[in-house]
Amino acid sequence: MKKAARRFAAIALLLLGHGICAMAATPAPPAAPSASGIEQRVAACIACHGREGATTNAGYFPRLSGKPAGYLFNQLRSFRDGRRFNADMNYMVQHLSDAYLMEMAEYFAGLDLPYPPVSPASDAPPAQLARGRQLALEGDAARQIPACVQCHGAALTGAQPAIPGLLGLPRLYVSSQLGAWLTSERHALAPDCMADIGRRMTTADINAVASWLAVQPMPADPKPATSLPAALPMRCGGMPK
């Protein structure tokens, strides 16, 4: 009960910072984001994603700190606008303006926190890990599945301005999100490249690549690449034209 009360208080603070009372029957008109107090106003995010948005590999929630601001902003908009579904996330951001969401995204993108050590241990069989490595580094040309590194960078740490890293994430989170694209439960701005890729993958593919990614160590420089060395293999709506 105490944890739930703290979480509710954090959500209320996030909404109050936007000029919205969490218990109001009707939302107030969108307000400009406050010029200060962002650390307190994102306390609701930290309640699930960990201290300063730097989660560990033991849970479900993804790390926020250090992700490209464009990616975080796109995801917050997708929760607000109904392209992604999570009851807590949809509730927290449903009345927030683009300016407020960008302020949140830039706050977490600007954090530079160390990643926890990644355990190389896995209960996945060697053949499954080998398949996951193949998909991540080579893809599957016969089924038009590009390699993860073609979009997420050679180090798989993402790329500016809007491609997330894939390392340092819980295996359950990676597999569930890929599965959500396979089943059309998750969407992004059109053209939705990940939905197209996800539908070409099987459940076995998803489990394999999630298992392999989850045990990869973080590189010495875990920051997103400033750019990709080549053009994306397909158009993605979340990337600037």
Side-chain angles (χ1 to χ4, degrees), residues 5 11 36-37 44 46 58 62 91-92 112 126 136 142 144 151 157 159 161 163 174 207 231 238:
I11 293 173
S36 62
I46 295 168
Y91 175 73
M92 284 192 294
D112 186 10
Q144 296 182 301
C151 298
T157 55
I163 299 178
V174 176
N207 289 333

Side-chain angles (χ1 to χ4, degrees), residues 2-241:
K2 291 182 179 179
K3 183 176 180 181
R6 288 196 299 269
R7 189 174 182 185
F8 180 82
I11 293 173
L13 185 61
L14 179 71
L15 295 176
L16 285 168
H18 186 64
I20 299 171
C21 177
M23 297 299 292
T26 56
S34 171
S36 62
I38 184 64
E39 295 87 354
Q40 290 75 31
R41 288 185 281 118
V42 297
C45 310
I46 295 168
C48 291
H49 291 272
R51 186 185 71 84
E52 302 295 347
T55 190
T56 69
N57 198 41
Y60 171 80
F61 300 97
R63 177 187 175 100
L64 301 179
S65 63
K67 290 276 177 61
Y71 171 75
L72 295 175
F73 176 62
N74 285 340
Q75 302 319 300
L76 288 168
R77 282 200 302 166
S78 286
F79 281 118
R80 184 194 64 189
D81 299 341
R83 288 182 293 272
R84 291 190 67 178
F85 302 97
N86 174 282
D88 289 336
M89 287 298 303
N90 296 137
Y91 175 73
M92 284 192 294
V93 302
Q94 61 181 324
H95 299 304
L96 303 186
S97 67
D98 280 359
Y100 197 118
L101 297 182
M102 180 55 80
E103 186 184 14
M104 294 170 63
E106 291 178 341
Y107 169 77
F108 283 110
L111 295 178
D112 186 10
L113 298 172
Y115 280 76
V118 176
S119 172
S122 176
D123 58 3
Q128 187 180 60
L129 293 173
R131 174 59 175 165
R133 180 184 184 280
Q134 178 188 25
L135 288 168
L137 304 184
E138 303 171 19
D140 188 333
R143 289 161 54 204
Q144 296 182 301
I145 300 174
C148 299
V149 294
Q150 289 182 261
C151 298
H152 296 272
L156 293 170
T157 55
Q160 298 290 358
I163 299 178
L166 299 181
L167 303 184
L169 291 168
R171 178 173 69 172
L172 176 60
Y173 176 78
V174 176
S175 61
S176 67
Q177 297 311 303
L178 287 171
W181 271 303
L182 186 152
T183 57
S184 297
E185 294 175 13
R186 177 175 173 174
H187 304 276
L189 294 169
D192 193 344
C193 56
M194 278 305 307
D196 291 337
I197 294 169
R199 285 192 288 267
R200 297 169 191 171
M201 300 177 74
T202 65
T203 300
D205 291 332
I206 288 171
N207 289 333
V209 74
S211 297
W212 185 83
L213 289 169
V215 297
Q216 300 311 301
M218 296 301 303
D221 182 5
K223 295 181 180 178
T226 56
S227 62
L228 293 172
L232 294 172
M234 56 200 307
R235 290 184 60 214
C236 289
M239 290 291 287
K241 295 181 175 62

